[in-house]
Amino acid sequence: MTLDTGMDFGPWLARQLKQSGMSQADLAQRIGLTRAAVSAWITGRATPREETINKIAEALGTDLGTIHTRTADTLAGLPISWYHRPGHADGGREFGNAAAFAFEADVEVLAREATQNSLDERLDLAQPVRVRYTLHELSGEALARFRDEIRWDDLLPHYEAAAEQDQKVGRMIAAGLSDMYDRDRLVLLRIDDYNASGLTGDDYETGRFAAVVRRQLDSQKSMSAAGGSYGLGKATLWATSRLGLVLMNSTLSEPHEGRTERRLVGRLDLPWRRVGDRTWAGPAWFGRPDPDAEDVHVARSWWADEESVERLHLTRESAEPGTSFLIVGAHDVASLVEETDEGNADVEDDDSVHRMHHRLKDALGRNFWAAMTGGGKQRPLLEASVRTFRNGVEIIPETRVDPRETQPSRTRALQAFLDGTTVDRLTEAGQVAMTTVPLMVPGRTGRGSGGEHRAVVLVTEADDRDHGKPNRVTTMRGNRMTVKIGWVPGLPVGTNLFQAVLLAGRAAGDDAPFADEAEAFLRAAEPPEHDKWGQTEELRMLYSPSAYRRIGALTYEANKAVRDLVALPKKSRKVGSERLRKRLTVGGRKATRPAPAAGPPTLEELDARIDDSGAWCVTAEMKIPAGGDSWRPTPVAKLDVRSGPRPVLAWSELVAVHNCEIVDGAVRFVPGSRTATFRGTTDVSTHPVRAQFSGLVVELRTDKGAQA
């Protein structure tokens, strides 16, 4: 007979003996053969006969099918269990994973971070990575079966000990237990990706598996255009779980221990706790005890059978590489603050699976519309969908996120760039205008220059279906995830509504000069949230302390290019008609009505950068309510601090830009104006700290002036 399915027989047999604590001599004695015969099987020099396989199955306590397929371990030997990290010998205590507090417990944040990680691990670059979010609400018998499968009775004492602590994580755990027991409800949120690398590598040594399951602040990125670099994004998986529990099932792109399918493990993040007379440090792992570890209770990943995977709600749809993350006890804090009908103010909100479904879909469309857009010879980088179940029954069908529905204008702009159908100027509806702007990439560690990169600016008319405000620039780099959406200052009155896109780094195209250098520079300029480009510690270490100023220059050039592309052509004035119009009057007297008291103007948009001298340079647009042009607001710049009063900064320059003038530091509006814009530069001598280490707040002090 032949043994040619799954893992090679020799390594498989050696693994089973190790896990069951049985030596080669023990097996030889049980089946009535010599130790040399068993050694020959393990080293691959021979294979057992059919009648011998029957004896091996009996000795291992398994069936013939398991030995023939060798795609799962035998059920004999060391059982699947939880290993909790013992308390520190020096008495140290951690009351939660600090990395999880870098993000909100928000499914929109989760979708952004988790999908970015999947994009970074795209395996076949000619094909999109496919990401599917599945919400599954369990109750009743289905919930009871799932708790049994994850050994809930073993976990409960640890949860109860954690919930008794008056700490943030303890209170969250208590809320999760209350939600599950009082409402008989548990929400599972599974994230599946396909055409991704999977959790490859050893359980403990450097690799993708250890980076996700064993370590914090470890980023194993395989692409130079990767979105992540801090290793923080994975913490959103545990932050989204009220129970701090995530289970994983990975199909590997590279074999580990001779296998690729159904590599399972679980990780639990709890605070320090005392259970009985023992203390536990925090994290715990769900797996098979590792016989090679110094502590025999240390749990490692295991190769599961299909039935176990199904009971854990981790079944994957195909053998395509990738990973499934199951967040146990998923919740969404942000959905609790959505506006409700005033007539139902007493109705308690909850993070229902329906709300979570739609928020996930919206977040994917808003952040990854560009990655889901293809054109020319390029396929989309990403396909994403969301579906929702309740006790195994689909209650919201799977919906694929379509960027043409969520962001029609921006999608049109990017697709025209990929198709090569852009124009120099907008002359007709539906066109996309394109130009390029310079990004002077600095050299590493402040030496020399990294070259002049040409970033791409795209402009097209806004669509009523666009999610978000018009007249904005959406910026991104090679992974095509939205980094920032910024307002364009200084637009003339009457400008047609538009959307603009700034493509920098590798997003600007394969033939863009110095694309790789720009990509590396901008990646270093992103904070862990990946929501802007600016000064970061990594940027200071890799480049010069002033390198961030290149980003301000890029923003300035991009806004200038957008204003030029959307500028209306000047119309010749008909002098005769204008003279005639001035001589005409309308008969009759208009009935006057008392005007209601108008509220003060408010800051609508604020754009800021730090100039070469270290001063804050801000451009602010104010919204003026009807009749509010008589107010005389005074702009005040303050330093943003975590606590205490905000220090006031003086202005070295304050100038009017549109529909206003500056008189003695106050803004006077042109009568009848509904918007106005001013520009200001702070006085560096009044800065208590350098601008790059601080934030800025601009306020309007509104003292009512005389009626105009």
Side-chain angles (χ1 to χ4, degrees), residues 328-370:
V328 180
H331 71 130
D332 181 25
V333 171
S335 72
L336 305 181
V337 297
E338 292 182 350
E339 294 184 2
T340 57
D341 185 13
E342 294 182 0
N344 297 321
D346 295 332
V347 177
E348 182 179 358
D349 286 340
D350 63 79
D351 45 352
S352 71
V353 290
H354 293 82
R355 285 187 181 182
M356 293 170 72
H357 178 105
H358 294 296
R359 282 173 53 77
L360 281 168
K361 184 172 176 289
D362 289 345
L364 290 167
R366 179 168 57 256
N367 291 296
F368 297 100
W369 60 268

Side-chain angles (χ1 to χ4, degrees), residues 185-235:
R185 168 184 181 262
L186 182 70
V187 177
L188 307 179
L189 173 53
R190 196 175 80 214
I191 308 168
D192 304 307
D193 62 27
Y194 297 90
N195 186 32
S197 298
L199 300 180
T200 58
D202 187 77
D203 272 68
Y204 313 105
E205 300 300 325
T206 299
R208 293 184 179 91
F209 180 92
V212 173
V213 180
R214 299 284 182 188
R215 303 174 181 176
Q216 302 297 338
L217 299 181
D218 187 4
S219 180
Q220 296 286 322
K221 298 298 185 181
S222 60
M223 298 172 59
S224 60
S229 58
Y230 291 84
L232 277 171
K234 59 179 176 283

